[in-house]
Amino acid sequence: MENIRNFCIIAHIDHGKSTLADRLLEYTGTLSEREMQDQVLDNMDLEREKGITIKAHAIQMNYRRDDQTYILNLIDTPGHVDFSYEVSRAIAACEGALLIVDASQGIEAQTISNLYLALEHDLEIIPVMNKIDLPHANPDAVADQIVDLIGCKREDIIAASAKEAIGIREILDAVVDRIPPPKGDPNAPLQAMIFDSVYNSFRGVEVYFRVFNGTIRARDVVQFVATRRVYDADEIGILKLQQQPVNEISAGNVGYLISGIKVASEVKVGDTITHVDRPGEPIKGFENVKPMVFAGIYPVDTSEFEELRASMEKLQLNDASLVWEPETSAALGFGFRCGFLGMLHMEIIQERLEREFGMTVITTVPSVQFRAVMTDGSVRLINAPSEMPDPTRVDHIEEPFILAQIITKSEYIGPIMGLCMDKRGILKNQHYLTTDRVELSFEMPLSEVVFDFFDKLKTISRGYASLDYHLIGFRESDMVKLDVMLNGDRVDALSAIVHRSKAYDWGRKLCEKLKDLIPRQMFEIAIQAAIGQKVIARETVKALRKNVLAKCYGGDISRKRKLLEKQKKGKKRMRQVGNVEIPQEAFMAVLKID
Amino acid sequence: MAGIYVHIPFCRKACHYCDFHFSTSRDRQREMINAICRELVLQQDYLAQEPVHTLYFGGGTPSLLTADELHILLDTIRANYALQADAEITLEANPDDLSENTLSVLRQAGVNRLSIGVQSFSDAILESLNRNHDARQAVDAVRRSRAAGFTNVSIDLMYAIPDLSMALWEETITTAIALGPDHISAYTLTIEPRTYFGHLASKGTLIETDEETAAAQMERLADLLAAAGFEQYEVSNFAKPGFESRHNRAYWEHQHYLGVGPGAHSYNGVTRQWNISNNPLYIKAIRKGRVPFESETLQRADHINEYLLTSLRTSRGCDLERLRLDYAFDLRADRMTYLENLRNLGLATLHESTLQLTRKGRLLADKIAADLFVSPTEG
């Protein structure tokens, strides 16, 4: 145990985490250059494209120094706020962390929040300033930020360039020398924490764990405490580049477990693995991950509902955080109400449905979970506008609030403040990290952040703003259900729950947008936005007046037929509500409202 | 019962809107007429000796034919097809070609219906369209035709043209009515891609008339012509009683027709075919004894859709019983809600088994036809 070091890497996107990980693997001979596919740790296509690590993985390296061999377990962490709980569990599995900061960019919000998480867990922090080879690197100012942030000495900061392989040995030495070895009793009752899992379609779910106390052996009968399920440990092993089965893994070490688990949701990150016949205490900090954003997913072609169900079931096999239940919409037919960890997670699910399963889907207005406190004191959870109870029986509505931390250059403070105020944010703190970098803290409703907040933030700061947030609880808010009616028929899939102060603006913009998207039809279409019975905005799509070609003689007939048939095919993707045909994009229009 | 269409692919000059097949180089006109005659012989079995009730010379500009050329064509047709004694023989003519002499040649040859390309009675509009005649010539042509003894005269008009105000359009219509034609075809200007107007439109210097203006001009036309005793028997065609174009009517009722000349289309109930739209290549192929055409065989859905498309444009309307008996398509049962909707919107009426579009509905004929179309997989 003395020679084991468990650590993770805390870094902002693009600050060089993956490249650095590659270098560590290379230097320790865990993989040769030939074996190395760039950035080994990110191995999902989507991750690569979006430039983020979605799912955490782990890898074990052997580092020889003097006459000692050290076992270094690197536990990878996801880099997006949607997955912050998973990050917290990865951190809890470590004794130390490499804090990677880009020498040209400085510290970003995501880095800070993960750093705080690491400090909470008493991790030893090794600051690394990466990309020092870049011509526009600003090592002095960035070093000041780091010293300021973690209170280390300047000389503790390792200057590195993962790309040029500078500072790699210094980093490995610091891991060995500064990070404490794990503590724990290999003979105590088994306590192993699950920090990640990966779905393998041949072998079932692979569970990644860190043993805190006790020893797990192959063929042990184990229990997952939170789910109370019992399994045979068919295979346990350590995580080299390939999995390496072993007979036992003891306190302090990291490994994987395969026990024929078919469904990802049986494996909960943060859960404790223990022995059935000599159970240990559950490890603190377990939480059931809760979805933050809800939206309906419907097949574009209504006949593909069963196919969509099968696809969702398969997705759920390897994405335990995706939850869904069947839902019916008058406008869209049969579909599913889904819960996501955040907007990125929602996008990923949508893309995976399209790429891996060839489904074309409509996603409805995303919504957060509201709470309706009823006049009789009971509380109802509202995951969809259709679940909004009759207002006369509601005492008040509560909505989730977050604390948002934004780090930016001082020149963008003005526009960012404007944006956050517009999103009903309340400024709580303003803190200068350096003379031109500032950290702003806002309390904001989550519902205002789920739409386009992040994109807008990036636009107004020209990319020089980073955002992190966490939930701080529910607060009473004057929320109303805004309906859209087409020729008097309510279109359930276009309803949204919005703050009363924004309802008029929202309704007007939505009506305008729909007016552009809904093609003219044989009759006039009234587009109305209403709160209850009260119409607050209206637009009209004028009736089609003339749609007939001038000539139709011998030579025109078949050409014209083909032309009309082609136009008709293009219309197949329309949905009919009452008499009105609505194009797919209309259901997403809400997302594009300014 | 069948028709023959003869395409004369020459013009004096190119109108800015026209995308029909023609050439302004007339060196090989005689060669072309010989080739068309040869095609008429090659195709003599196409109509299976059905009686030919209508013959139509279209173009291009058939009024460019010499007396000699016209006679050769007619002789060839009479020798190879069952052209009926009372057949309707139409010839499209440009006003500037209709001299007294030409008119008498046409009469003698047996042409009994003239379709005169008037387009407008405004010199400014005629010039903007690059027509080869002025307003005076247009009026004179119609009067001379009457004087020459033509008892079935049609004129073409065009509207929804940039710069054509409602007032000017009304003036055009009243001038037309005063001239006393038996038939009027009136077309909205359609901007086609491979025309001068198409070129201007793609550059943004020509703006297509908006839908509302076009619709209003169409309605005004229908009103004024109705008051003058014309029936709108098809979207773009108006006739005094008994003067409907029998030839065009046959297209809409899916009767058989043979089209000869480059770019001409034919239909025999099973296939549609169309000749190559290239004068030299056409002549070359015909000389080798081969008609250069492409063809397609119509499937059930194609038949149904073409019938819907054409019949809904006409005042006779769509015979649902015919669809049911000929193609086992029960429109009434399969599209009930939609038909109901059309009626409620005042766009169509349904009497017994005839679906007819109202005047308002006829403005949307293409959209309605397309909505009713069947897909190839539909039962």
Side-chain angles (χ1 to χ4, degrees):
Chain A
M1 210 186 309
E2 271 307 307
N3 284 3
I4 296 176
R5 301 290 182 273
N6 297 316
F7 70 105
C8 59
I9 300 177
I10 295 170
H12 189 70
I13 301 164
D14 293 336
H15 281 197
K17 179 175 77 168
S18 299
T19 317
L20 181 69
D22 292 349
R23 291 285 171 241
L24 298 179
L25 299 183
E26 213 177 62
Y27 196 93
T28 54
T30 312
L31 78 169
S32 66
E33 214 165 326
R34 192 167 45 80
E35 281 174 307
M36 177 133 93
Q37 206 193 347
D38 268 352
Q39 302 186 359
V40 185
L41 287 184
D42 294 353
N43 63 13
M44 261 172 92
D45 278 355
L46 267 179
E47 291 175 34
R48 240 166 241 240
E49 274 170 42
K50 292 198 183 267
I52 41 162
T53 313
I54 295 166
K55 273 297 211 174
H57 298 275
I59 194 157
Q60 192 175 88
M61 297 169 265
N62 291 328
Y63 179 50
R64 257 177 263 273
R65 198 179 70 176
D66 306 327
D67 53 350
Q68 295 282 314
T69 299
Y70 294 92
I71 297 168
L72 312 184
N73 290 310
L74 168 59
I75 296 173
D76 199 16
T77 51
H80 191 276
V81 62
D82 280 5
F83 305 101
S84 55
Y85 174 70
E86 291 183 2
V87 177
S88 83
R89 292 305 85 197
I91 283 170
C94 299
E95 278 79 34
L98 297 176
L99 171 69
I100 312 284
V101 181
D102 185 318
S104 65
Q105 311 247 343
I107 293 168
E108 304 286 357
Q110 185 74 62
T111 318
I112 295 191
S113 87
N114 286 347
L115 175 68
Y116 288 152
L117 263 177
L119 291 171
E120 259 176 56
H121 285 85
D122 296 325
L123 263 55
E124 177 65 33
I125 308 293
I126 300 171
V128 176
M129 185 154 43
N130 195 21
K131 304 196 189 180
I132 51 152
D133 57 309
L134 289 186
H136 51 284
N138 191 358
D140 286 340
V142 172
D144 282 344
Q145 284 180 30
I146 296 172
V147 169
D148 193 35
L149 193 67
I150 58 174
C152 65
K153 294 192 206 103
R154 263 186 106 93
E155 53 269 30
D156 291 341
I157 302 170
I158 301 171
S161 164
K163 200 162 146 253
E164 301 297 325
I166 300 167
I168 305 305
R169 206 188 126 191
E170 287 79 356
I171 292 170
L172 287 166
D173 284 342
V175 168
V176 169
D177 295 335
R178 296 197 218 164
I179 297 176
K183 294 189 199 86
D185 178 0
N187 301 314
L190 178 63
Q191 280 181 299
M193 184 189 72
I194 300 171
F195 62 82
D196 198 4
S197 67
V198 170
Y199 182 79
N200 178 318
S201 46
F202 298 104
R203 312 182 74 193
V205 181
E206 298 165 3
V207 179
Y208 297 170
F209 60 84
R210 148 80 194 263
V211 184
F212 282 91
N213 281 302
T215 299
I216 181 170
R217 293 181 182 81
R219 288 171 301 280
D220 278 355
V221 180
V222 294
Q223 183 169 41
F224 292 3
V225 175
T227 61
R228 310 182 65 85
R229 285 176 181 269
V230 174
Y231 304 98
D232 290 322
D234 296 337
E235 179 181 319
I236 60 167
I238 53 172
L239 295 148
K240 295 289 193 174
L241 194 59
Q242 263 89 43
Q243 294 167 347
Q244 211 176 81
V246 295
N247 284 325
E248 58 171 58
I249 297 172
S250 294
N253 213 343
V254 169
Y256 71 88
L257 162 74
I258 290 171
S259 53
I261 302 172
K262 299 279 188 298
V263 182
S265 56
E266 286 181 26
V267 180
K268 296 194 182 293
V269 168
D271 199 356
T272 304
I273 306 172
T274 189
H275 284 126
V276 172
D277 48 12
R278 197 179 158 222
E281 288 292 304
I283 295 158
K284 284 197 192 85
F286 172 75
E287 281 173 32
N288 259 315
V289 185
K290 286 189 204 78
M292 301 269 266
V293 175
F294 298 81
I297 290 187
Y298 290 82
V300 162
D301 183 344
T302 45
S303 66
E304 286 178 355
F305 172 72
E306 283 306 328
E307 219 174 304
L308 178 61
R309 179 200 290 276
S311 307
M312 300 278 289
E313 277 167 357
K314 281 191 198 135
L315 265 187
Q316 212 174 25
L317 289 180
N318 62 7
D319 186 342
S321 40
L322 171 68
V323 296
W324 49 270
E325 57 184 41
E327 178 185 63
T328 319
S329 151
L332 298 174
F334 293 103
F336 301 97
R337 170 105 328 219
C338 306
F340 309 98
L341 298 178
M343 289 297 276
L344 178 75
H345 189 213
M346 177 171 125
E347 270 173 47
I348 290 169
I349 295 295
Q350 216 176 318
E351 275 189 50
R352 289 190 64 191
L353 279 171
E354 298 199 349
R355 283 194 205 190
E356 295 170 32
F357 300 96
M359 300 296 307
T360 323
V361 295
I362 303 175
T363 311
T364 62
V365 194
S367 167
V368 301
Q369 185 175 63
F370 296 94
R371 291 157 49 127
V373 179
M374 310 300 286
T375 44
D376 63 7
S378 64
V379 173
R380 285 197 201 171
L381 298 180
I382 303 164
N383 292 334
S386 61
E387 293 169 5
M388 194 80 156
D390 178 359
T392 57
R393 294 174 46 225
V394 176
D395 184 76
H396 65 272
I397 304 279
E398 294 174 351
E399 68 171 328
F401 265 67
I402 56 162
L403 182 70
Q405 282 157 308
I406 298 166
I407 294 181
T408 187
K409 283 190 173 179
S410 47
E411 61 193 282
Y412 300 115
I413 292 180
I416 290 174
M417 291 255 206
L419 173 67
C420 293
M421 300 300 192
D422 183 51
K423 298 285 183 186
R424 297 189 281 134
I426 304 154
L427 181 67
K428 297 309 277 189
N429 195 16
Q430 183 175 352
H431 167 62
Y432 278 83
L433 301 170
T434 61
T435 45
D436 72 338
R437 285 180 70 76
V438 66
E439 182 188 29
L440 303 168
S441 306
F442 287 91
E443 288 180 359
M444 289 171 76
L446 178 64
S447 63
E448 296 283 353
V449 178
V450 296
F451 283 115
D452 52 358
F453 180 75
F454 194 53
D455 288 339
K456 280 199 170 151
L457 182 66
K458 275 198 289 194
T459 308
I460 59 172
S461 66
R462 296 164 197 260
Y464 286 108
S466 59
L467 164 75
D468 186 59
Y469 63 80
H470 62 269
L471 211 54
I472 52 173
F474 280 79
R475 291 183 186 174
E476 183 172 341
S477 273
D478 191 4
M479 306 307 290
V480 292
K481 181 177 169 224
L482 187 77
D483 292 318
V484 172
M485 294 182 290
L486 296 179
N487 279 352
D489 288 329
R490 234 165 266 268
V491 185
D492 55 3
L494 286 172
S495 295
I497 298 171
V498 294
H499 193 260
R500 192 182 295 277
S501 68
K502 297 205 150 183
Y504 283 83
D505 197 39
W506 177 281
R508 187 174 51 78
K509 286 178 176 161
L510 184 54
C511 288
E512 281 168 8
K513 192 92 201 167
L514 288 171
K515 186 190 172 182
D516 290 341
L517 289 170
I518 296 175
R520 291 163 64 205
Q521 291 165 38
M522 294 190 297
F523 40 84
E524 193 175 281
I525 301 162
I527 305 169
Q528 291 169 303
I531 301 171
Q533 298 305 312
K534 193 179 166 209
V535 174
I536 58 166
R538 182 193 159 116
E539 289 285 340
T540 306
V541 179
K542 288 218 283 185
L544 202 57
R545 269 284 268 151
K546 181 174 170 292
N547 184 349
V548 61
L549 283 180
K551 295 191 179 184
C552 189
Y553 299 120
D556 307 308
I557 297 173
S558 73
R559 191 172 53 135
K560 217 173 137 194
R561 166 177 55 80
K562 285 172 196 160
L563 183 79
L564 292 180
E565 279 170 349
K566 204 171 144 200
Q567 286 170 1
K568 188 172 181 168
K569 242 188 194 153
K571 266 183 39 186
K572 246 193 152 176
R573 288 164 74 102
M574 303 264 239
R575 285 302 174 93
Q576 187 104 16
V577 176
N579 287 332
V580 183
E581 286 173 332
I582 312 177
Q584 310 296 342
E585 314 93 79
F587 296 101
M588 319 281 244
V590 199
L591 284 171
K592 295 184 186 88
I593 288 178
D594 254 337
Chain B
M1 196 169 136
I4 293 176
Y5 173 83
V6 183
H7 191 75
I8 306 301
F10 298 102
C11 285
R12 288 189 202 276
K13 68 179 196 182
C15 301
H16 285 343
Y17 52 87
C18 181
D19 74 337
F20 279 32
H21 173 64
F22 66 89
S23 163
T24 50
S25 150
R26 296 173 54 203
D27 310 346
R28 302 180 72 185
Q29 183 164 323
R30 187 52 197 252
E31 268 180 87
M32 176 59 77
I33 301 307
N34 290 340
I36 293 174
C37 287
R38 182 107 189 254
E39 190 194 349
L40 281 162
V41 176
L42 291 168
Q43 295 274 49
Q44 61 181 322
D45 295 328
Y46 188 85
L47 296 173
Q49 291 307 311
E50 282 181 72
V52 173
H53 288 274
T54 65
L55 171 59
Y56 195 103
F57 292 94
T61 314
S63 51
L64 290 177
L65 290 171
T66 64
D68 210 21
E69 288 166 346
L70 187 61
H71 279 109
I72 299 174
L73 285 166
L74 279 160
D75 290 347
T76 310
I77 291 166
R78 289 200 175 95
N80 293 282
Y81 298 86
L83 186 67
Q84 301 296 292
D86 62 347
E88 172 192 278
I89 302 178
T90 306
L91 183 130
E92 287 179 350
N94 275 350
D96 45 312
D97 291 328
L98 293 179
S99 63
E100 272 171 43
N101 184 43
T102 303
L103 283 161
S104 109
V105 166
L106 296 175
R107 278 276 289 161
Q108 275 163 24
V111 173
N112 54 26
R113 184 172 180 271
L114 281 181
S115 172
I116 305 173
V118 168
Q119 314 310 347
S120 174
F121 295 106
S122 148
D123 285 343
I125 294 285
L126 288 168
E127 203 180 319
S128 78
L129 298 174
N130 204 34
R131 294 291 295 177
N132 203 34
H133 64 88
D134 59 21
R136 178 86 250 147
Q137 286 173 301
V139 171
D140 289 349
V142 178
R143 289 190 180 141
R144 265 201 298 272
S145 304
R146 286 296 193 206
F150 280 95
T151 55
N152 190 346
V153 173
S154 174
I155 61 173
D156 280 0
L157 296 178
M158 194 174 270
Y159 62 102
I161 306 167
D163 298 333
L164 178 69
S165 65
M166 184 60 108
L168 185 53
W169 178 229
E170 284 171 357
E171 204 183 304
T172 308
I173 301 166
T174 40
T175 309
I177 292 169
L179 272 175
D182 309 293
H183 183 282
I184 294 175
S185 297
Y187 304 110
T188 48
L189 170 68
T190 309
I191 295 175
E192 303 288 353
R194 272 170 296 175
T195 61
Y196 180 70
F197 276 174
H199 168 71
L200 293 184
S202 69
K203 283 199 309 183
T205 45
L206 178 81
I207 297 178
E208 203 163 1
T209 304
D210 66 279
E211 190 184 314
E212 183 53 46
T213 305
Q217 291 189 354
M218 187 171 179
E219 284 174 339
R220 196 78 192 109
L221 171 76
D223 283 342
L224 292 173
L225 291 185
F230 288 86
E231 193 210 350
Q232 185 179 17
Y233 70 103
E234 196 257 1
V235 169
S236 303
N237 287 283
F238 301 80
K240 290 270 179 71
F243 285 93
E244 297 174 1
S245 161
R246 283 156 63 195
H247 185 80
N248 289 339
R249 168 131 270 163
Y251 289 139
W252 307 323
E253 292 180 351
H254 293 207
Q255 289 171 25
H256 304 170
Y257 56 91
L258 168 68
V260 293
H265 288 237
S266 305
Y267 172 68
N268 62 5
V270 180
T271 62
R272 288 194 186 279
Q273 62 181 58
W274 50 95
N275 288 347
I276 189 167
S277 291
N278 179 308
N279 292 1
L281 291 180
Y282 171 81
I283 293 174
K284 205 171 157 188
I286 294 287
R287 276 191 183 151
K288 288 183 184 157
R290 187 177 63 82
V291 181
F293 68 85
E294 287 178 71
S295 74
E296 68 171 330
T297 303
L298 298 184
Q299 307 301 318
R300 171 180 170 270
D302 303 333
H303 280 290
I304 295 172
N305 293 347
E306 289 189 354
Y307 179 66
L308 286 168
L309 175 65
T310 52
S311 67
L312 287 173
R313 294 171 64 94
T314 66
S315 59
R316 287 192 193 177
C318 176
D319 181 357
L320 305 186
E321 203 53 16
R322 176 173 169 176
L323 280 177
R324 201 174 64 83
L325 295 174
D326 290 0
Y327 306 112
F329 176 54
D330 193 343
L331 188 98
R332 234 180 311 198
D334 294 4
R335 303 280 194 279
M336 199 176 67
T337 338
Y338 187 83
L339 293 184
E340 205 46 51
N341 205 8
L342 284 183
R343 281 164 64 171
N344 293 338
L345 291 165
L347 298 173
T349 59
L350 184 60
H351 292 299
E352 301 191 345
S353 73
T354 307
L355 177 68
Q356 286 162 306
L357 298 189
T358 61
R359 221 176 71 180
K360 197 174 147 203
R362 222 174 283 165
L363 278 164
L364 299 171
D366 285 356
K367 154 119 182 102
I368 294 170
D371 286 345
L372 292 171
F373 271 9
V374 299
S375 65
T377 50
E378 195 172 340

